[in-house]
Amino acid sequence: AAGEFEMALAQNDIAYYAYQGCCIAAFDGKPVKGIRALAALYPEVIHIVARQDAGIRTVADLKGKRVVVGDVGSGTEQNARQILEAYGLRFEDLGQAIRVSATQGIQLMQDKRADALFYTVGLGASAIQQLALTTPISLVAVDLAKVQAIAKKYPFYVGFNIPGGTYKGVDVTTPTVAVQAMLIASEKLSADTVYKFMKAVFGNQEAFKKIHPNLERFFSLQKAVK
């Protein structure tokens, strides 16, 4: 909106809030109408990672715990707030709502200064893999039925299973929810520029998918236009 960037990667829910000028303080009454969607890329999965010794089995168990909820204004923070809401909890019900980046949050988990961490990120995120190498972790399941109860308010969540073995020490499949990573652009870019960009990026599917495992696993032109 400020004109500093011409393209960005954004969660589809956050892009919607921006365009509608709703739902989060940053956009309330300040719609960002100059954004345009180019493509949906891959699912961004809501991970709730807990230290194994923290006694957290369900989202309800987060009550009274020290929880990293994402940086101020981040997509992770919004997702954390909404997931907790689906379970009848607010940030005030946590022992401590820690607003830091995922990197800092993982450091806190390793130092036993945080019990759990929300992180909206592609499957197999290296930061979580690193944490799992040094700290016994578990993944907390999110019940889609619970989230569907608030889906009228937040229609972006889809069910998603994190396969067992994705992260060290977590051998069972964990049900959770996901949003989409999407590529957005400023409407100020010319159609010609956008076309050339899209042709260069998506013209060679094979090369494009090799950039990242999540593109390899999830990306297709059919899904990109949904």
Side-chain angles (χ1 to χ4, degrees):
E4 290 176 45
F5 291 109
E6 292 171 308
M7 280 189 190
L9 280 171
Q11 290 176 207
N12 62 339
D13 52 341
I14 303 300
Y16 173 86
Y17 300 151
Y19 188 78
Q20 297 294 341
C22 79
C23 314
I24 37 183
F27 305 127
D28 265 344
K30 297 183 287 260
V32 184
K33 290 293 186 190
I35 52 175
R36 295 291 177 266
L38 301 186
L41 299 177
Y42 58 86
E44 293 220 74
V45 183
I46 286 86
H47 291 72
I48 307 175
V49 186
R51 295 178 53 86
Q52 254 179 34
D53 58 11
I56 297 166
R57 299 282 166 269
T58 69
V59 174
D61 295 336
L62 293 172
K63 190 174 180 174
K65 302 289 187 188
R66 301 166 301 172
V67 184
V68 176
V69 295
D71 232 337
V72 177
S74 66
T76 294
E77 184 193 30
Q78 302 313 319
N79 299 144
R81 182 178 279 119
Q82 292 163 5
I83 301 295
L84 289 170
E85 183 187 328
Y87 281 81
L89 294 170
R90 299 174 308 153
F91 283 168
E92 291 76 19
D93 297 315
L94 303 174
Q96 192 183 358
I98 308 167
R99 289 178 168 86
V100 292
S101 70
T103 314
Q104 292 167 293
I106 275 153
Q107 189 69 58
L108 293 176
M109 294 275 281
Q110 287 169 327
D111 298 345
K112 295 195 173 183
R113 289 188 287 151
D115 303 309
L117 164 101
F118 278 86
Y119 191 13
T120 303
V121 66
L123 192 66
S126 56
I128 300 173
Q129 285 181 340
Q130 290 294 317
L131 174 64
L133 291 176
T134 58
T135 308
I137 63 161
S138 56
L139 291 173
V140 180
V142 177
D143 180 356
L144 182 62
K146 276 256 199 287
V147 177
Q148 278 173 333
I150 60 165
K152 283 188 175 61
K153 212 165 163 189
Y154 313 117
F156 303 94
Y157 293 110
V158 293
F160 190 94
N161 289 324
I162 300 173
T166 303
Y167 304 104
K168 184 176 180 275
V170 185
D171 299 324
V172 294
T173 294
T174 308
T176 184
V177 289
V179 290
Q180 286 286 330
M182 68 189 298
L183 186 62
I184 59 174
S186 163
E187 66 172 355
K188 292 195 172 97
L189 283 179
S190 75
D192 189 48
T193 301
V194 173
Y195 179 82
K196 284 176 179 157
F197 172 86
M198 298 285 269
K199 195 170 159 78
V201 174
F202 302 121
N204 184 340
Q205 288 284 295
E206 212 175 308
F208 179 60
K209 287 184 170 192
K210 283 200 178 110
I211 294 170
H212 196 278
N214 276 322
L215 294 172
E216 187 75 66
R217 195 178 293 162
F218 299 113
F219 181 80
S220 74
L221 292 177
Q222 290 72 27
K223 289 181 195 161
V225 294
K226 273 195 174 175

